[in-house]
Amino acid sequence: MALSGGAADRGSHSMDKSITLPPDEIFRNLENAKRFAIDIGGSLTKLAYYSTVQHKVAKVRSFDHSAKVSLLETDGDPLYEISVQEEITARLHFIKFENAYIETCLDFIKDHLVNTETKVIKATGGGAYKFKDLVEKKLKLKVDKEDEMTCLIKGCNFVLKNIPHEAFVYAKHADSEFRFQNTHPDIFPYLLINIGSGVSIVKVEAEDKFERIGGSSIGGGTFWGLGALLTKTKRFDELLQLASKGQHTNVDMLVKDIYGGAYGSLGLTGDLIASSFGKSATTDKEFSKEDMAKSLLHMISNDIGQLACLYAKLHNLTRVYFGGFFIRGHPVTMHTITYSINFFTKGEVQALFLRHEGYLGAIGAFLKGAEEDNPNQYSWEENYAGSSGLMSASPELNPVQRARSGTFPFDMLEMDRLDRQLVNLPLLQDPTSYIPDTVDLTEDALAREYWLYCFEEALDGVVKRAIASQKDQPEAVERAEKFRQKYRHKVQTLRHQPFAYGSLTVRSLLDTREHCLNEFNFPDPYSKIKQKENDMALKYYLKVVTSVEELSWEQRQFTLVKGLLAGNVFDWGAKAVSDVLESDPEFGFEQAKQQLQERPWLVDAYNQWIERLKGPPHKCALFFVDNSGIDIILGVFPFIRELLVRGTEVVLASNSGPALNDVTNSELQILTEKIAAMDPVIHAALKEDRLALVQNGSSSPCLDLSRLDKVLATVVRERGTDLVIIEGMGRAIHTNYYAMLSCESLKLAVIKNSWLAERLGGKIFSVVFKYEVPSKAQGQH
């Protein structure tokens, strides 16, 4: 168990608008907690603990039909069995609350803690010393000292590596205040400016290599102390409130106050501060508390900003992160620091802030105490179901009112350990500028409102599907109702705080829904639908392949592409399709073909693709597949079969875990085995290792090419992949539509949402067939 803390929190939090809940909904999975860390500041406590979570997973296992002559004789028998099994995974919990509640929290932990293996709690910083005796007495653990700066850096490295939208730029007057940044694949080197009582400037070059290269005694404590003397206001937050209402020009002397306007020859504008508090020396009038607080804030922020810029320039660093209690999500301090950095670097360096900045010490302390488990060898993922997200400033109940309600304010972050390491797709043209999502709903208010409404509307259908997938379990109805409440609350939160989990996108809304379904043990609501559709589609496979083989080369290529597109219509994630599939069970492959838009398509690069096929075969094609059933069996397999016949190796990348009716890697293994038993081309390709099946590392209906299974990245590299095919609305439209690859790519989908189709200039069932070749100027094919 590890404990970290310091003078980093003497002011109460602003943007961390806490929510109130009963303790057992906050300190979750305590009975399985293995190790703790606590970061106690001046006003906030951050608790971290590692626990194991038991949840249900859907597993598929092939029935043995080896005695049958062909798959067509297995009529009536399901292709595979689905069993729901218990699985144990690791989860990190981080909880933040006011120090006023520390005793209550420690009592709750003591009463619910089952695991007693831990004997030591590591501690660091000022707040930790103050509560040392209390922690030892309550938890019966020995407190052991840890270095505060080491914890801070370790925590910072961890969030930058594992949370894609961790860092943001603050833009006060923009439509979207928070502009989330793509994390560079290599997070090092960077500069961390920690503004506590004073300022520490730390250069971080590697996981365990950092150096304090400078600092200043003029920091948050200076603002607080001088502010208290000037305004008689003792609370840090109140001081910031005053500053946010003040007008610094009443106190500060500007360039125009001296020169009557701008000082052109030196490039100084008239509105620039020439002298902080300059007017107070020459004016007899009284100055308001608000104006003095604002002037003081500018003075200290500008000083820190200039210092940060000089060190960044000296060490040639462009990534500069700000943290410490002076920042702690306060819009007014983020704005003044941003302005200062922008001014002194002429926009060349951006001030970056961190979404989980308040947790860095606790995360670092936990990692120090967990070194024997080597948590850095894994990839971790934020669990949206259990995290409260980034909140904006708003008035809170006072502690007395909260105590009466039997709840207390908190902020939570949960991170799930993935059983695989995630890395970039090696074929991204520029991993540093890759943005998976096509539309940022944080910035597009119209699109945001539409998609939030869409997901709320679809909720009844998802609940119904979840219950139907577990008919034999009477308590499924109750769990499904809890899922409905939780997801609806998440959507409502995102309507008011679209930045809560980073950039709001269709992908994050889908992923949040999957996390909430898993939370209430609905691991694969579409498992039985997938099973039925796979069984049905396999019966038509030979017929489709035979009919295609009879066509001329040109006709065959078009029929294969059309089949791929028709297969992609079968998507239970699209309401327009699920409504048809629910009401018309006979809707099949031929009907889907008739629904497709006639050529020319909405995006139509088919002619260029055909010209390319007349040339030499590709060495290896990587195909990110989409739906089960007709899509994978009658659409994808005939298409890749043609590639294999041409002499191209094929890698089929499918989801590691279930999402909607997308085919999973374990399902695909069984389907491929069954197809190989019918089709000598597929059989030979498997036997000769020209066809490989690899999981993509995701359990999402969308695709983030910067977070893929490391094994897939290795296969892609080793096979010399020179063609990437991305199929489906989630993977090729909502994400990756603008993704730039260093090899040829095909992005294809049928638009099954009328609003999105109209936005793209088409109608429902419009076709996107995008074939892209990287420019030769960049030395690529």
Side-chain angles (χ1 to χ4, degrees):
M1 193 168 176
L3 187 85
S4 148
D9 298 315
R10 292 204 180 85
S12 69
H13 51 179
S14 161
M15 198 164 62
D16 308 312
K17 182 188 80 172
S18 303
I19 307 162
T20 52
L21 270 187
D24 58 345
E25 288 185 42
I26 299 166
F27 299 100
R28 305 186 331 145
N29 306 308
L30 255 185
E31 65 281 5
N32 300 318
K34 301 278 189 291
R35 185 180 288 110
F36 281 79
I38 229 172
D39 173 355
I40 309 175
S43 65
L44 296 177
T45 294
K46 283 80 61 181
L47 180 77
Y49 60 95
Y50 167 96
S51 76
T52 50
V53 185
Q54 197 166 20
H55 60 98
K56 289 181 166 46
V57 290
K59 297 277 186 187
V60 296
R61 189 170 67 83
S62 178
F63 283 123
D64 183 17
H65 294 306
S66 54
K68 311 260 175 148
V69 176
S70 89
L71 193 83
L72 300 177
E73 293 180 31
T74 65
D75 275 8
D77 295 337
L79 177 65
Y80 50 77
E81 65 175 332
I82 305 158
S83 62
V84 175
Q85 299 171 16
E86 294 288 338
E87 189 172 86
I88 292 173
T89 54
R91 181 173 289 174
L92 291 180
H93 300 257
F94 303 100
I95 298 139
K96 179 162 48 177
F97 50 88
E98 292 172 15
N99 288 355
Y101 301 99
I102 192 165
E103 199 155 348
T104 314
C105 291
L106 291 174
D107 280 336
F108 186 84
I109 293 164
K110 181 187 69 178
D111 294 344
H112 293 77
L113 202 55
V114 179
N115 189 310
T116 53
E117 293 169 25
T118 308
K119 302 295 177 201
V120 175
I121 181 165
K122 294 196 181 239
T124 185
Y129 291 110
K130 182 180 173 184
F131 292 98
K132 174 179 179 286
D133 293 343
L134 181 69
V135 172
E136 288 190 334
K137 181 181 150 198
K138 293 280 185 189
L139 299 182
K140 306 281 188 287
L141 296 167
K142 182 181 179 294
V143 168
D144 188 23
K145 194 174 182 295
E146 262 308 334
D147 178 66
E148 190 174 3
M149 191 57 76
T150 303
C151 292
L152 195 68
I153 302 299
K154 274 191 172 294
C156 195
N157 293 342
F158 182 85
V159 295
L160 288 174
K161 275 196 297 196
N162 289 289
I163 303 180
H165 288 157
E166 178 59 32
F168 63 89
V169 169
Y170 183 74
K172 185 181 177 183
H173 301 297
D175 289 342
S176 171
E177 289 173 83
F178 302 88
R179 291 195 177 150
F180 293 93
Q181 305 296 294
N182 255 33
T183 306
H184 194 289
D186 182 6
I187 64 168
F188 306 109
Y190 65 85
L191 206 59
L192 179 65
I193 317 290
N194 195 49
I195 315 170
S197 300
V199 179
S200 283
I201 299 175
V202 185
K203 180 183 180 182
V204 185
E205 294 182 271
E207 193 59 55
D208 294 305
K209 188 182 178 189
F210 65 88
E211 178 192 359
R212 186 184 187 276
I213 54 173
S216 171
S217 60
I218 299 168
T222 316
F223 172 68
W224 198 353
L226 273 177
L229 292 172
L230 288 166
T231 67
K232 306 292 183 257
T233 302
K234 294 290 183 189
R235 282 179 59 83
F236 184 78
D237 265 12
E238 284 174 20
L239 202 53
L240 284 177
Q241 265 319 101
L242 289 174
S244 67
K245 294 173 190 166
Q247 183 54 263
H248 77 97
T249 53
N250 292 334
V251 184
D252 292 343
M253 189 175 286
L254 309 182
V255 168
K256 66 183 176 188
D257 295 326
I258 302 171
Y259 299 106
Y263 194 152
S265 61
L266 292 181
L268 304 175
T269 63
D271 290 327
L272 211 59
I273 300 170
S275 173
S276 294
F277 287 92
K279 285 180 183 169
S280 58
T282 56
T283 312
D284 289 335
K285 68 167 191 169
E286 286 284 312
F287 294 99
S288 76
K289 290 179 178 183
E290 289 83 357
D291 293 347
M292 288 191 290
K294 187 61 171 280
S295 173
L296 183 62
L297 181 67
H298 275 292
M299 182 177 89
I300 286 163
S301 296
N302 287 339
D303 186 59
I304 295 168
Q306 185 166 34
L307 206 55
C309 292
L310 290 170
Y311 276 105
K313 205 167 183 179
L314 188 66
H315 292 267
N316 198 26
L317 296 170
T318 53
R319 280 172 282 183
V320 183
Y321 299 103
F322 288 83
F325 89 87
F326 184 70
I327 303 294
R328 199 52 45 94
H330 296 293
V332 65
T333 56
M334 289 194 296
H335 175 63
T336 51
I337 288 286
T338 299
Y339 178 86
S340 170
I341 291 287
N342 198 41
F343 175 79
F344 287 116
T345 67
K346 296 183 170 61
E348 285 176 23
V349 175
Q350 287 185 312
L352 295 168
F353 305 97
L354 300 171
R355 193 152 66 88
H356 298 104
E357 190 271 327
Y359 289 115
L360 302 186
I363 294 170
F366 170 82
L367 294 171
K368 280 295 284 179
E371 280 174 344
E372 67 267 26
D373 291 342
N374 194 6
N376 279 321
Q377 73 181 332
Y378 302 100
S379 287
W380 299 77
E381 176 181 67
E382 183 173 6
N383 181 343
Y384 298 140
S387 301
S388 43
L390 186 67
M391 301 296 176
S392 67
S394 89
E396 296 179 42
L397 293 168
N398 66 47
V400 177
Q401 286 172 297
R402 287 194 199 111
R404 284 183 191 142
S405 69
T407 60
F408 58 92
F410 72 95
D411 182 271
M412 298 189 319
L413 164 66
E414 289 185 5
M415 301 281 292
D416 284 333
R417 191 177 82 188
L418 305 175
D419 56 9
R420 58 194 68 83
Q421 257 193 307
L422 302 182
V423 297
N424 276 303
L425 176 70
L427 298 168
L428 281 174
Q429 203 171 83
D430 178 16
T432 60
S433 63
Y434 168 68
I435 296 169
D437 305 285
T438 306
V439 179
D440 185 346
L441 304 181
T442 326
E443 298 187 358
D444 188 332
L446 203 66
R448 176 169 74 242
E449 197 39 58
Y450 170 75
W451 285 110
L452 288 171
Y453 165 78
C454 234
F455 278 89
E456 277 185 318
E457 279 291 287
L459 195 48
D460 285 347
V462 178
V463 168
K464 189 175 148 195
R465 179 65 44 213
I467 295 167
S469 73
Q470 297 181 7
K471 281 181 186 158
D472 54 335
Q473 297 182 35
E475 87 293 349
V477 175
E478 188 189 338
R479 282 188 285 114
E481 191 49 44
K482 284 181 177 173
F483 154 74
R484 182 207 301 273
Q485 288 168 8
K486 183 148 208 172
Y487 188 64
R488 178 171 285 146
H489 173 72
K490 292 282 177 192
V491 171
Q492 286 165 353
T493 300
L494 288 165
R495 185 168 271 121
H496 301 295
Q497 321 262 4
F499 46 79
Y501 299 104
S503 290
L504 179 64
T505 61
V506 173
R507 174 169 63 112
S508 67
L509 284 166
L510 284 163
D511 290 351
T512 303
R513 189 167 72 186
E514 294 298 324
H515 291 182
C516 290
L517 280 166
N518 281 320
E519 182 76 14
F520 296 102
N521 276 324
F522 293 106
D524 193 357
Y526 292 85
S527 57
K528 294 200 170 68
I529 287 176
K530 289 188 286 182
Q531 185 182 37
K532 186 180 161 194
E533 290 183 348
N534 286 332
D535 278 337
M536 185 62 71
L538 275 164
K539 290 176 182 145
Y540 293 97
Y541 176 77
L542 283 177
K543 186 182 171 189
V544 169
V545 167
T546 309
S547 66
V548 165
E549 281 186 325
E550 291 166 358
L551 301 170
S552 68
W553 185 84
E554 292 252 357
Q555 280 182 313
R556 187 162 75 246
Q557 303 317 311
F558 186 67
T559 304
L560 287 167
V561 165
K562 205 170 174 186
L564 197 51
L565 293 164
N568 195 243
V569 169
F570 293 84
D571 181 355
W572 281 83
K575 196 171 185 299
V577 177
S578 61
D579 286 351
V580 172
L581 297 176
E582 291 270 19
S583 59
D584 180 9
E586 298 304 308
F587 185 85
F589 195 42
E590 293 309 313
Q591 289 92 323
K593 283 184 184 174
Q594 287 158 26
Q595 292 281 352
L596 294 177
Q597 173 192 16
E598 292 292 319
R599 287 194 68 199
W601 295 322
L602 183 62
V603 176
D604 195 334
Y606 179 75
N607 293 347
Q608 292 92 311
W609 171 243
I610 284 300
E611 283 309 306
R612 172 63 187 87
L613 286 185
K614 289 173 183 171
H618 295 90
K619 187 173 188 318
C620 177
L622 167 64
F623 198 130
F624 288 100
V625 299
D626 191 8
N627 307 302
S628 287
I630 288 176
D631 189 356
I632 184 72
I633 296 164
L634 305 184
V636 173
F637 264 98
F639 185 87
I640 62 140
R641 186 182 189 274
E642 182 77 6
L643 290 176
L644 290 164
V645 170
R646 272 173 60 80
T648 300
E649 288 183 18
V650 175
V651 176
L652 292 181
S654 54
N655 269 11
S656 300
L660 294 170
N661 65 317
D662 294 0
V663 66
T664 63
N665 186 254
S666 54
E667 289 160 351
L668 187 56
Q669 300 277 355
I670 295 166
L671 294 179
T672 307
E673 180 191 314
K674 300 304 175 189
I675 290 171
M678 291 188 273
D679 186 344
V681 172
I682 300 299
H683 183 269
L686 273 178
K687 197 175 173 186
E688 294 158 16
D689 196 31
R690 290 184 293 109
L691 172 61
L693 313 179
V694 189
Q695 56 183 322
N696 62 19
S698 168
S699 300
S700 167
C702 296
L703 180 65
D704 181 350
L705 297 174
S706 69
R707 284 173 72 79
L708 293 177
D709 193 325
K710 197 174 182 178
V711 174
L712 176 59
T714 305
V715 169
V716 164
R717 207 180 277 111
E718 286 174 352
R719 290 187 181 240
T721 304
D722 53 356
L723 172 65
V724 173
I725 304 168
I726 307 176
E727 177 211 13
M729 252 173 67
R731 292 172 181 79
I733 305 292
H734 292 312
T735 52
N736 299 306
Y737 190 71
Y738 298 117
M740 304 288 285
L741 300 174
S742 60
C743 68
E744 293 172 55
S745 64
L746 266 184
K747 296 168 191 171
L748 47 107
V750 178
I751 311 296
K752 292 149 290 198
N753 174 290
S754 52
W755 183 89
L756 181 61
E758 278 174 35
R759 262 222 162 181
L760 294 169
K763 293 176 181 166
I764 195 157
F765 298 116
S766 286
V767 169
V768 168
F769 189 90
K770 202 176 183 191
Y771 169 58
E772 293 172 305
V773 182
S775 61
K776 290 185 175 66
Q778 291 165 301
Q780 284 128 2
H781 181 86

